[in-house]
Every structure is written in structure tokens, then in C-alpha cells.
Amino acid sequence: MASGRDSDRTLGYMTRKDTEVKLPRPTRVKNKTPAPVQITAEQILREARERQEAEIRPPKQKITDSTELSDYRLRRRKEFEDKIRRARWNIQVWVKYAQWEESQKDYARARSVWERAIEGDYRNHTLWLKYAEFEMKNKFVNSARNVWDRGVTLLPRIDQLWYKYIHMEEILGNIAGARQIFERWMNFSPDQQGWLSFIKFELRYNEIERARSIYERFVLCHPKVSAYIRYAKFEMKGGEVARARNVYERATEKLADDEESEILFVAFAEFEERCKEVERARLIYKFALDHIPKGRAEDLYKKFVAFEKQYGDKEGIEDAIVGKRRFQYEDEVRKNPLNYDSWFDYVRLEESVGNKDRIRETYERAIANVPPAEEKRYWQRYIYLWINYALYEEIETEDVERTRDVYRECLKLIPHNKFSFAKIWLLAAQFEIRQLNLTGARQILGNAIGKAPKDKIFKKYIEIELQLANMDRCRKLYERYLEWSPENCYAWSKFAELEISLAETERARAIFELAISQPALDMPELLWKAYIDFEISEGELERTRALYERLLDRTKHYKVWVSFAKFEASAVEGVEEDGDKEEEEVIERKKECIRRARAIFDRANTYYKDSTPELKDERTTLLEDWLNMETSFGELGDVSDVQSKLPKKLKKRKPISREDGSTEYEEYIDYLFPEESQTTNLKILEAAQRWKKQKLAASEEDSY
């Protein structure tokens, strides 16, 4: 035992030495240089996937007599029991076991499995639900009752169990039993939805007094604004005005300082308003505005203003509230009629008042201020006045002809020969579609294509015709689209996709051929990729090879070489899927695919070595991709051959001149390929021989 002098009471009478934490000595990394061959996470995952053994599935069998059936059942039960022993915690195993026993019509065994599962994890409500559903499905009503009763007793806070139990009793016509279950549930004080379900249940059977008593218990259990409002609405629906008012009064006494009291006062005032008690409603609004903090009373104030507008002196209220702001906006638009933001604010003010004639007049005055210059940047804000006007006429006033006129006048006003707005054309066409006027929509979109063709318009028009399954129209639209924009690779690809979806292979191929023959394309790489993918999907390997060769005539980018090689290598997968071939023939075909891929990489490497030796980065990346491919081939790959071609990384410095005349050196990575290192070695040997000859000549002169 430690002596009193060394021990410390704060450490439980242990010495300082006893409490020291001994950490392991950190190991020092000796070699921090990167490995010569870097292995990526993708490569590890790919190798793991390739080495994964195929899933072994048992053969299907047919049972012909009772002995085989009993053997099958015994074997399956043993499998399930083994699974349960290994993973008792896995609920899915228990469920599958019980459902299998049920499928065998052995209900006693199925029940036994459910009981064992519940004994292991009775807190899992999913087990109780599935167990009870099993009993109900097989019409064991009393057993189902027993399961539900045990479930709600053990897990009273799981609402789903109560709902299902009550629903079963209600379907069986046992209304008294369902009510008794509700009463048991309410003893646990569930959330609001549980109480409301009980009330709806009583109302379904016209038990008004019972529902009222439940509401009284509900507001005691959940003294919230929403609960009292529901109670009052219930009384109002039954015509009990005095009772509803009493509920609201009790709520205001208890919840006057609640965070949601604003909602309560608004609901109370609207209730009095419906009862034609205008003065009562006004007093409620005033009382609320006096007691609720100003930060929370914004919506209440809006409601009060709307109330006064309806029941007070309308002209006086409008002049008091809106008049001052209207005067300000009039002053602003008079000083600068082209300030469209002021017009937007002015229109918004009039819309809040709701006078349709005033709103239309304001919109008409606003759109009369046409931008003076025919430049799109001046029109971008102005055009939204027309859009808002059209949407107001369509949504608020529901005047179809006025809306159509607004769109028509707007489209007449825009100088389409200089610029246009696809948004207006599309909104006008969509409006006609909503009015079921397809002819009008087509006419608008046709005019748009004729006057101001744009990508958005073509895409939307084609989309509409596709939805209507008018393929001939779609073809014509694509033709117009490509006449207008022949360099648009998106349009070519989508046109080809349309023909592919219609199984028109030759048409699609012709479109692709026409597309790649265009002198200028915005994204040719995507178009070539789509064409190559199309030929691969059609299984046309020779056509695909020819396409790659044509692409290589246009560009020698390293990605094209890699894609070509990967295509040839991907044929290995097709060979593996072909199960009808002999094993030796399969191996030979695999080797042929690998030889083709290897030949492409070799061609690419030769091209970079001979034609573009300055592109060292691209050549290095190509060789790394080649190495990865050889690694992925496993035993058939030849990694050593590629590794002999890989370059060495060298750190070099190059001088950079500054503005002040000084020189600075910057480090960069260079690559030294094997053939370059051989040339360097030869130069060194030649220099050494020259130096030796000079030495011998000097010694001979000295001897003379």
C-alpha cells in the first residue's frame, strides 16, 4: 500500500506514478518517398469486383410426393434455424421464417416463430404489426385481438398499434370495443392527432355529446391555441354559437400571453364577424392590438385593416391607409416614367387594395412607357410589366380574351428583327394550351420560329409535339432547328435519339453521319461519343472501329486513343457473357481483344514518340492508362512491357525574368523516357572518347 506521504486524497490515495498514462512510442517512418507504381482506390475496387466469385444459386426442384415435401420442409426449417442462430438480432430473418411457415399452411409453427421473435425483441413494433396482420389475414380474430392487446400494453406510445387495433374492431363492427380501446389510449395522453381521431370516430356514429366531452378532455390535455380553435369550430359547425363563444372566451383567458395568441384573436374575431357581431369583432381586434407585442402583430394589423375596409367607412379608410403611398408613387412615376421598379411597387399597392379598374389603369399606364432605345438591356425589366399584366388577367380576373390581347399586343411591340424574348412566346403558347387551344399554341410557336428562332422555343415546341406523339411534326421541327443552327450538337443528338426511340436505326445513322460532316460544331466530342455509343449499342463492332479510325484522322487527342483501346478491351466482357463457346475458344477470343487494345496503345505511343515528342504529359497519361488496362486483364495482361516504356520523373528548374530585371527559378516536373535516356548515355560516351583522344594528343606533344 502507498505511504501517506506519497499518496494523494484527490487521486483516491494512489501515487502520481500510478496515475501516469503510458502512451506507446511513435514509430518513425523511414522511407517517405512515393511508391514507383501508385494504386488508386478505383483500381482496388475494380480488382475486388473482378475477383469476386459468381453467386451460387441452388437449382429449382419440383416436389412430387409427401416424403420429398417433408424433406424439403425439414431442410428449409434447418436453414432458417441456422440463420437465426447466426443473426438472432436480424428481424428480417424472423419475418421470412414466419411467412414461410404461413405459406406452408402450418399456422401453429408460424405463430410459434412470431412468439419467439417477440420474446427476443418485444420493443420492435414492426414485429407486432406483422404478427397481428398474419392473424387477421388468416381470420384468427381472437388471436389478433390478443396480439394487439399485448402490443399496446407493452408499447403504449406507438400510435400505429392503437390505430390498427381500433381499425380492426371498427371493421368487425365492434364499435363499443373500439371506443373502449380509444379510452385506454387516451389514458396515456397521446398527441393531438390521437384525440382528433377519437373525435372523428364518435362523429362518424353521430355521437355529438361524446365528441364534446372528448374535446373538453382534449383541451385540458393539450391547452394550445390550435386545440381551442378546433373545439370552437366544432361547436360552430353544429350551430352552437353560444358554446363556441364560450370556448373562445376560455381560450383568451388562459392563452392571452401565448406565443400563438395572435392566431387565436384572429380566429375569435372572424368568428364574431361570421355571426354578424361587428362591434364584438372590432373590440377583439383592438384588445389584441393592445396586448400583443408590435413585432408579432403584423398579420393581425393586416386583418384589422381588411376588416375595417369591409365594415367601416371604405372611402375614408382607403384615403388614410393607401392615399399617402399612392401619392408618393404618383410623384415618382411622374418624375421618371421609365423607372419600372416604381411602377411595380405602384401596381403591387393597387393589387393589395383590390380595385380591378384601378389595377388595369395602372398596368396600362405602366406599359405605355416603352423604352426609347431598341436594345435588349433596356427592355429586360420592362417586359415583366407585360408578363405580370397577363398573369393578373388570367389568374385574378379570369378574363381569357383580355389575357390573349395582352400577349398579342406585347408580341407586336417587341422589335423581333433586332432582339426577342423567348419567355413571352412560351408564356403565350402555354396560356393557349391551358385553354385547350392547340391550334393557337402551334400558331404562336410557329411565328416565333419564323420571326425570332431560339433554342428554348425549339425545345419547348418539340417537347409539346412529343407529348402529343406527333412524330412527323417533331422531325420537321428538328429539320428547321438544324437549318437555323447546324452547329448545334445538342439538336443533332436529340434528333438521332428520337429516331433511335422509334427503332429507325438507318435514319439515326444517317443523321449522325450528316452531323459529323458539318464544317463547324459547338461540341463535336459529345456528338462523336453519342454516335460511337449508338453503334456499340447496336452491336456493330466493325462500324465502331471505323468510326474511331475516322475520329483519329481528325484528332489525335490521347482521350480518343484511350477510349478506342478501352472499347476493344471491353469486348472481353462480351466474350465472357457468351456461354455457348468452348473454354479454349473463349480464351483465344479474349487474347484477340487484348491484342487489338494493345495495338492501339502501341500506335498511340509511337505517334507521341515520333510526331509530337513535346507532349510528354499526354504520353505519360496514356502509358498509365495502358498499365491500368494491362493490370485489369489479370493473367492475360503484360504489365512488364508497359512498365519498360514508362518515363522517369525529374525535377527541373527554369529561369523566369521579373519586371525589375532580376531572375527567379521555378521548379517543374519533366519526364525522361527510355529512348531519351539511351541517347543521353551515348552522348556522354562520345564526350568521354573525345576527352581521351585530346588527353593522348597532349601527352604526345609533351614527349616531343
Side-chain angles (χ1 to χ4, degrees), residues 11 76 80 111 122 128 160 167 231 241 244-245 250 312 334 356 362 383 453 500 549 582 612 649 696:
L11 301 175
R76 287 290 287 160
F80 278 118
R111 195 173 287 118
Y122 72 91
W128 291 102
Q160 197 176 6
H167 182 62
Y231 188 6
V241 177
R245 186 175 288 119
R250 284 161 55 194
R334 187 177 66 255
K356 291 182 181 179
T362 309
I383 210 70
I500 292 166
E549 292 293 344
E582 294 293 332
T612 55
K649 281 187 180 180
L696 289 170

Short mmCIF file of all heavy atoms in Angstrom, two decimals, residues 11 76 80 111 122 128 160 167 231 241 244-245 250 312 334 356 362 383 453 500 549 582 612 649 696:
data_model
loop_
_atom_site.label_atom_id
_atom_site.label_comp_id
_atom_site.label_asym_id
_atom_site.label_seq_id
_atom_site.Cartn_x
_atom_site.Cartn_y
_atom_site.Cartn_z
N LEU A 11 -6.57 11.72 -5.64
CA LEU A 11 -6.37 10.65 -6.61
C LEU A 11 -6.81 9.31 -6.05
O LEU A 11 -6.42 8.26 -6.55
CB LEU A 11 -4.90 10.57 -7.02
CG LEU A 11 -4.31 11.83 -7.64
CD1 LEU A 11 -2.84 11.66 -7.88
CD2 LEU A 11 -5.02 12.17 -8.93
N ARG A 76 -35.55 -26.67 -45.08
CA ARG A 76 -35.77 -25.23 -45.00
C ARG A 76 -35.81 -24.76 -43.55
O ARG A 76 -35.25 -23.70 -43.23
CB ARG A 76 -37.09 -24.85 -45.70
CG ARG A 76 -37.04 -24.94 -47.20
CD ARG A 76 -36.19 -23.87 -47.80
NE ARG A 76 -36.85 -22.56 -47.72
CZ ARG A 76 -36.25 -21.42 -47.81
NH1 ARG A 76 -34.95 -21.40 -47.95
NH2 ARG A 76 -36.92 -20.28 -47.74
N PHE A 80 -33.44 -21.98 -41.79
CA PHE A 80 -33.91 -20.80 -41.06
C PHE A 80 -33.38 -20.79 -39.63
O PHE A 80 -32.97 -19.74 -39.11
CB PHE A 80 -35.44 -20.76 -41.04
CG PHE A 80 -36.05 -20.19 -42.27
CD1 PHE A 80 -36.89 -20.95 -43.08
CD2 PHE A 80 -35.79 -18.89 -42.65
CE1 PHE A 80 -37.45 -20.41 -44.22
CE2 PHE A 80 -36.35 -18.34 -43.79
CZ PHE A 80 -37.17 -19.11 -44.57
N ARG A 111 -47.05 -19.16 -35.80
CA ARG A 111 -47.32 -18.43 -34.56
C ARG A 111 -46.18 -18.61 -33.57
O ARG A 111 -45.79 -17.69 -32.85
CB ARG A 111 -48.64 -18.92 -33.98
CG ARG A 111 -49.23 -18.02 -32.92
CD ARG A 111 -50.62 -18.47 -32.51
NE ARG A 111 -51.60 -18.19 -33.55
CZ ARG A 111 -52.31 -19.12 -34.19
NH1 ARG A 111 -52.12 -20.41 -33.93
NH2 ARG A 111 -53.18 -18.78 -35.11
N TYR A 122 -39.24 -7.49 -28.03
CA TYR A 122 -40.64 -7.08 -27.94
C TYR A 122 -40.81 -5.57 -28.16
O TYR A 122 -41.92 -5.09 -28.38
CB TYR A 122 -41.24 -7.48 -26.59
CG TYR A 122 -40.75 -6.66 -25.42
CD1 TYR A 122 -41.41 -5.50 -25.03
CD2 TYR A 122 -39.62 -7.04 -24.70
CE1 TYR A 122 -40.96 -4.76 -23.96
CE2 TYR A 122 -39.16 -6.29 -23.64
CZ TYR A 122 -39.84 -5.15 -23.25
OH TYR A 122 -39.40 -4.41 -22.20
N TRP A 128 -44.84 -6.66 -33.98
CA TRP A 128 -46.24 -6.74 -33.53
C TRP A 128 -47.20 -6.51 -34.70
O TRP A 128 -48.22 -7.21 -34.82
CB TRP A 128 -46.49 -5.71 -32.43
CG TRP A 128 -45.79 -6.01 -31.13
CD1 TRP A 128 -44.66 -5.45 -30.66
CD2 TRP A 128 -46.19 -6.98 -30.15
NE1 TRP A 128 -44.33 -5.98 -29.44
CE2 TRP A 128 -45.25 -6.94 -29.09
CE3 TRP A 128 -47.26 -7.88 -30.05
CZ2 TRP A 128 -45.35 -7.75 -27.96
CZ3 TRP A 128 -47.35 -8.68 -28.93
CH2 TRP A 128 -46.40 -8.63 -27.89
N GLN A 160 -49.25 3.73 -33.98
CA GLN A 160 -49.68 2.87 -35.09
C GLN A 160 -50.36 1.61 -34.58
O GLN A 160 -51.33 1.13 -35.18
CB GLN A 160 -48.47 2.51 -35.95
CG GLN A 160 -48.84 1.97 -37.31
CD GLN A 160 -47.62 1.72 -38.18
OE1 GLN A 160 -46.49 1.84 -37.71
NE2 GLN A 160 -47.83 1.36 -39.42
N HIS A 167 -58.90 0.13 -35.86
CA HIS A 167 -59.41 -0.07 -37.22
C HIS A 167 -59.96 -1.49 -37.39
O HIS A 167 -61.02 -1.68 -38.01
CB HIS A 167 -58.28 0.19 -38.21
CG HIS A 167 -58.69 0.06 -39.64
ND1 HIS A 167 -59.64 0.87 -40.21
CD2 HIS A 167 -58.29 -0.80 -40.62
CE1 HIS A 167 -59.80 0.53 -41.48
NE2 HIS A 167 -59.00 -0.48 -41.74
N TYR A 231 -61.95 23.07 -31.29
CA TYR A 231 -63.14 22.86 -30.44
C TYR A 231 -64.21 23.87 -30.82
O TYR A 231 -65.39 23.52 -31.00
CB TYR A 231 -62.72 23.00 -28.98
CG TYR A 231 -63.79 22.63 -27.97
CD1 TYR A 231 -65.02 22.09 -28.35
CD2 TYR A 231 -63.60 22.84 -26.63
CE1 TYR A 231 -65.99 21.76 -27.43
CE2 TYR A 231 -64.56 22.51 -25.68
CZ TYR A 231 -65.77 21.98 -26.10
OH TYR A 231 -66.73 21.65 -25.17
N VAL A 241 -73.65 28.49 -31.28
CA VAL A 241 -72.89 29.74 -31.28
C VAL A 241 -72.46 30.11 -29.87
O VAL A 241 -71.31 30.51 -29.64
CB VAL A 241 -73.73 30.88 -31.91
CG1 VAL A 241 -72.97 32.21 -31.84
CG2 VAL A 241 -74.09 30.53 -33.35
N ALA A 244 -69.62 27.93 -28.76
CA ALA A 244 -68.38 28.28 -29.46
C ALA A 244 -67.77 29.55 -28.86
O ALA A 244 -66.55 29.64 -28.63
CB ALA A 244 -68.65 28.46 -30.95
N ARG A 245 -68.62 30.57 -28.59
CA ARG A 245 -68.12 31.81 -27.98
C ARG A 245 -67.52 31.54 -26.61
O ARG A 245 -66.49 32.12 -26.24
CB ARG A 245 -69.25 32.83 -27.89
CG ARG A 245 -68.79 34.19 -27.41
CD ARG A 245 -69.92 35.20 -27.44
NE ARG A 245 -70.25 35.59 -28.80
CZ ARG A 245 -71.46 35.40 -29.37
NH1 ARG A 245 -72.42 34.79 -28.70
NH2 ARG A 245 -71.68 35.80 -30.59
N ARG A 250 -62.87 31.25 -22.99
CA ARG A 250 -61.99 30.48 -22.09
C ARG A 250 -60.56 30.45 -22.63
O ARG A 250 -59.59 30.55 -21.86
CB ARG A 250 -62.52 29.05 -21.96
CG ARG A 250 -63.73 28.93 -21.06
CD ARG A 250 -64.48 27.64 -21.32
NE ARG A 250 -63.59 26.48 -21.20
CZ ARG A 250 -63.90 25.25 -21.64
NH1 ARG A 250 -65.06 25.05 -22.25
NH2 ARG A 250 -63.06 24.26 -21.49
N GLY A 312 -66.12 49.28 -42.12
CA GLY A 312 -66.02 50.68 -41.75
C GLY A 312 -66.32 51.58 -42.92
O GLY A 312 -66.92 51.18 -43.92
N ARG A 334 -44.11 60.20 -62.10
CA ARG A 334 -44.19 61.45 -62.88
C ARG A 334 -42.79 61.99 -63.15
O ARG A 334 -42.49 62.47 -64.25
CB ARG A 334 -45.03 62.48 -62.12
CG ARG A 334 -45.29 63.75 -62.95
CD ARG A 334 -46.18 64.75 -62.24
NE ARG A 334 -45.54 65.31 -61.04
CZ ARG A 334 -45.87 64.97 -59.79
NH1 ARG A 334 -46.82 64.07 -59.57
NH2 ARG A 334 -45.26 65.51 -58.76
N LYS A 356 -60.23 46.42 -59.36
CA LYS A 356 -59.81 45.91 -60.67
C LYS A 356 -59.61 47.02 -61.69
O LYS A 356 -58.66 46.99 -62.49
CB LYS A 356 -60.82 44.90 -61.19
CG LYS A 356 -60.86 43.61 -60.39
CD LYS A 356 -61.85 42.64 -60.99
CE LYS A 356 -61.90 41.34 -60.16
NZ LYS A 356 -62.88 40.39 -60.70
N THR A 362 -53.52 51.24 -63.98
CA THR A 362 -52.10 51.38 -63.62
C THR A 362 -51.22 50.56 -64.56
O THR A 362 -50.16 51.02 -65.02
CB THR A 362 -51.87 50.93 -62.16
OG1 THR A 362 -52.81 51.59 -61.33
CG2 THR A 362 -50.47 51.26 -61.70
N ILE A 383 -40.30 44.26 -69.86
CA ILE A 383 -41.12 43.17 -70.39
C ILE A 383 -41.87 42.45 -69.28
O ILE A 383 -42.93 41.85 -69.50
CB ILE A 383 -40.23 42.19 -71.21
CG1 ILE A 383 -41.05 41.53 -72.32
CG2 ILE A 383 -39.58 41.15 -70.34
CD1 ILE A 383 -41.43 42.46 -73.42
N PRO A 453 -36.18 32.79 -84.05
CA PRO A 453 -35.87 31.43 -83.59
C PRO A 453 -34.86 31.43 -82.45
O PRO A 453 -33.87 32.16 -82.49
CB PRO A 453 -35.30 30.76 -84.85
CG PRO A 453 -34.82 31.89 -85.71
CD PRO A 453 -35.70 33.05 -85.41
N ILE A 500 -33.85 6.80 -82.81
CA ILE A 500 -33.50 5.54 -82.12
C ILE A 500 -34.68 5.05 -81.31
O ILE A 500 -34.98 3.85 -81.29
CB ILE A 500 -32.26 5.76 -81.22
CG1 ILE A 500 -31.02 6.03 -82.07
CG2 ILE A 500 -32.02 4.56 -80.32
CD1 ILE A 500 -29.84 6.58 -81.29
N GLU A 549 -11.46 5.17 -86.19
CA GLU A 549 -10.38 5.49 -87.12
C GLU A 549 -10.62 6.84 -87.80
O GLU A 549 -9.70 7.64 -87.98
CB GLU A 549 -10.26 4.39 -88.19
CG GLU A 549 -9.77 3.04 -87.66
CD GLU A 549 -8.32 3.10 -87.17
OE1 GLU A 549 -7.61 4.07 -87.52
OE2 GLU A 549 -7.92 2.20 -86.44
N GLU A 582 -16.64 -22.77 -76.30
CA GLU A 582 -15.73 -23.62 -75.54
C GLU A 582 -14.72 -22.74 -74.81
O GLU A 582 -14.44 -21.60 -75.20
CB GLU A 582 -14.99 -24.57 -76.49
CG GLU A 582 -15.89 -25.60 -77.18
CD GLU A 582 -16.48 -26.61 -76.22
OE1 GLU A 582 -15.82 -26.87 -75.18
OE2 GLU A 582 -17.58 -27.09 -76.49
N THR A 612 4.91 13.95 -82.00
CA THR A 612 4.76 15.05 -81.03
C THR A 612 5.54 14.73 -79.76
O THR A 612 4.96 14.46 -78.70
CB THR A 612 3.27 15.26 -80.69
OG1 THR A 612 2.72 14.02 -80.24
CG2 THR A 612 2.49 15.76 -81.88
N LYS A 649 10.36 10.48 -63.56
CA LYS A 649 10.02 11.85 -63.22
C LYS A 649 11.28 12.57 -62.77
O LYS A 649 12.03 12.06 -61.94
CB LYS A 649 8.98 11.89 -62.09
CG LYS A 649 7.57 11.64 -62.54
CD LYS A 649 6.60 11.87 -61.41
CE LYS A 649 5.16 11.62 -61.86
NZ LYS A 649 4.21 11.83 -60.77
N LEU A 696 45.46 12.07 -74.96
CA LEU A 696 46.57 11.34 -75.59
C LEU A 696 47.39 12.27 -76.49
O LEU A 696 48.62 12.25 -76.52
CB LEU A 696 46.04 10.16 -76.41
CG LEU A 696 45.49 8.97 -75.59
CD1 LEU A 696 44.79 7.98 -76.50
CD2 LEU A 696 46.64 8.29 -74.84
#
